Amino acid sequence: MSQSVFLELVEIKAKTASVLPFLIGLCYSWYHYGTLHLGYVLIYFVAMFIFNMAVDILDNYNDYHHATEGHDYKQKTNIIGRENLSLRFVFWMMTSMIVVSAILGIALASVVGWPLLWMGLYCYLVGIFYSSGPRPLSSLPLGEFFSGSTMGIMISFICVYLNTFETFQWNFSEIFSIFIIALPNTLWIANLMLANNICDKEEDEKNERYTLVHYLGKQRSIHLFVGMNVFAFLAIILSVVLKLAPLTVLLTFLTAPFIWKQITLFRNKQVKRETFICAVRILAVGSAAQVITYLLGILI
């Protein structure tokens, strides 16, 4: 397997969806609590990144198996069929990644406390059943919710917990604060799934995958895509108003013209190979700006 094929198999281009929520969790821990446990969060980052790659391999693996006959998805679209990859090799590579990440997570939980184990278990269950089982989460009108909340909220939540496990208070105020900080990423990550499902509506229906777009229709789904971008920026304002983030985070609004341009491109044309990248760019630019401006506020 070549490097380029491996990187496509693990969908490396979408890894901003896990790295940026992690960085937001770090920024919030430093700003709000004044504490970082860099050793623990580094182990967590490695485990999270490996598992995220394994989940993307699992998605491709299951999509290949679930594809119905009679059209070209298996041989021309899915990376496994298109590159004639060995299913056995792909399966064992994926399984090895899951086991390694689980061992790292359990070892970390034994040090920082078992709440990490339960949070991690939830993420593993969502990751595995996202594309597995008789009715995968990704084939239901729940995919956007689970992908957004798991990667957007839980990655940041676990990062904050690791940095504050000695003093973390399990109350509404603490949990709500993390939710607000993580909400922009949550919405932008959910929009990745939504944009993908909008582009793949007809193909998904051929494969008997009835996603949210199937029920809403393309036009309402596009309106939802736009609305979630708007709410992401409103969440950034709210984080500053509630003093959960420094004033400099409002500089994220400097990216608004670029993000609006990407929204417009996607509204005008929903073709996977041409405009799905717009949702990726929105996540990358919006979330990176949130991280950079947050860090700027901490430093000054």
Side-chain angles (χ1 to χ4, degrees), residues 19 38 84-85 88 93 122 135-136 146 221 283:
V19 173
L38 292 179
N84 295 313
L85 300 180
R88 183 180 178 82
M93 179 171 63
Y122 168 79
R135 295 301 302 274
F146 280 107
S221 298
L283 170 64

Side-chain angles (χ1 to χ4, degrees), residues 199-210:
C199 293
D200 288 347
K201 180 178 182 293
E202 290 78 15
E203 191 169 79
D204 281 342
E205 289 170 344
K206 288 178 184 177
N207 282 311
E208 299 179 0
R209 290 164 51 92
Y210 301 112

Side-chain angles (χ1 to χ4, degrees), residues 8-290:
E8 184 177 352
L9 181 64
V10 301
E11 299 184 17
I12 199 69
K13 292 180 180 179
K15 291 299 170 279
T16 50
S18 57
V19 173
L20 290 167
F22 171 84
L23 294 176
I24 282 294
L26 276 184
C27 288
Y28 180 72
S29 300
W30 190 2
Y31 179 76
H32 194 69
Y33 296 96
T35 178
L36 292 176
H37 293 309
L38 292 179
Y40 294 153
V41 295
L42 179 60
I43 294 171
Y44 165 57
F45 179 82
V46 172
M48 173 201 73
F49 200 82
I50 292 173
F51 181 68
N52 187 253
M53 289 194 294
V55 167
D56 286 328
I57 295 174
L58 181 62
D59 288 347
N60 283 313
Y61 183 86
N62 283 324
D63 285 348
Y64 180 85
H65 276 293
H66 293 156
T68 58
E69 301 297 334
H71 56 95
D72 295 331
Y73 175 79
K74 273 192 172 184
Q75 301 305 322
K76 293 187 178 180
T77 303
N78 189 281
I79 179 69
I80 294 174
R82 196 177 75 238
E83 299 294 334
N84 295 313
L85 300 180
S86 164
L87 283 175
R88 183 180 178 82
F89 177 76
V90 170
F91 175 82
W92 284 111
M93 179 171 63
M94 169 186 70
T95 302
S96 299
M97 287 181 171
I98 293 173
V99 170
V100 169
S101 65
I103 290 171
L104 290 173
I106 292 169
L108 198 54
S110 70
V111 176
V112 303
W114 297 112
L116 175 64
L117 181 66
W118 299 116
M119 289 188 286
L121 182 60
Y122 168 79
C123 293
Y124 272 70
L125 290 174
V126 171
I128 291 170
F129 288 104
Y130 185 77
S131 61
S132 302
R135 295 301 302 274
L137 295 174
S138 63
S139 69
L140 302 174
L142 300 169
E144 287 80 4
F145 169 79
F146 280 107
S147 63
S149 62
T150 304
M151 299 188 71
I153 296 174
M154 290 305 298
I155 288 176
S156 295
F157 199 135
I158 291 173
C159 189
V160 174
Y161 175 77
L162 285 173
N163 285 310
T164 62
F165 68 94
E166 306 98 330
T167 58
F168 188 82
Q169 299 294 314
W170 291 90
N171 56 48
F172 176 80
S173 177
E174 297 292 341
I175 295 171
F176 180 74
S177 296
I178 297 171
F179 171 79
I180 294 299
I181 285 296
L183 188 55
N185 269 314
T186 300
L187 294 169
W188 281 324
I189 291 169
N191 258 354
L192 280 183
M193 177 74 174
L194 182 62
N196 181 73
N197 288 339
I198 290 171
C199 293
D200 288 347
K201 180 178 182 293
E202 290 78 15
E203 191 169 79
D204 281 342
E205 289 170 344
K206 288 178 184 177
N207 282 311
E208 299 179 0
R209 290 164 51 92
Y210 301 112
T211 65
L212 184 63
V213 179
H214 170 79
Y215 294 97
L216 292 181
K218 260 194 176 182
Q219 201 55 48
R220 289 193 187 94
S221 298
I222 293 169
H223 291 330
L224 179 60
F225 178 86
V226 176
M228 288 204 288
N229 279 292
V230 173
F231 277 106
F233 278 100
L234 293 177
I236 288 171
I237 295 174
L238 185 59
S239 70
V240 174
V241 170
L242 296 177
K243 299 183 179 179
L244 303 174
L247 191 62
T248 53
V249 170
L250 293 179
L251 292 173
T252 303
F253 276 80
L254 292 175
T255 67
F258 173 83
I259 288 176
W260 183 251
K261 180 180 178 181
Q262 300 306 310
I263 292 170
T264 302
L265 288 172
F266 187 77
R267 287 175 64 195
N268 292 337
K269 192 174 188 180
Q270 302 86 47
V271 177
K272 185 78 165 283
R273 291 185 177 272
E274 296 180 35
T275 56
F276 171 68
I277 190 65
C278 295
V280 178
R281 289 170 182 158
I282 290 169
L283 170 64
V285 172
S287 295
Q290 186 188 14

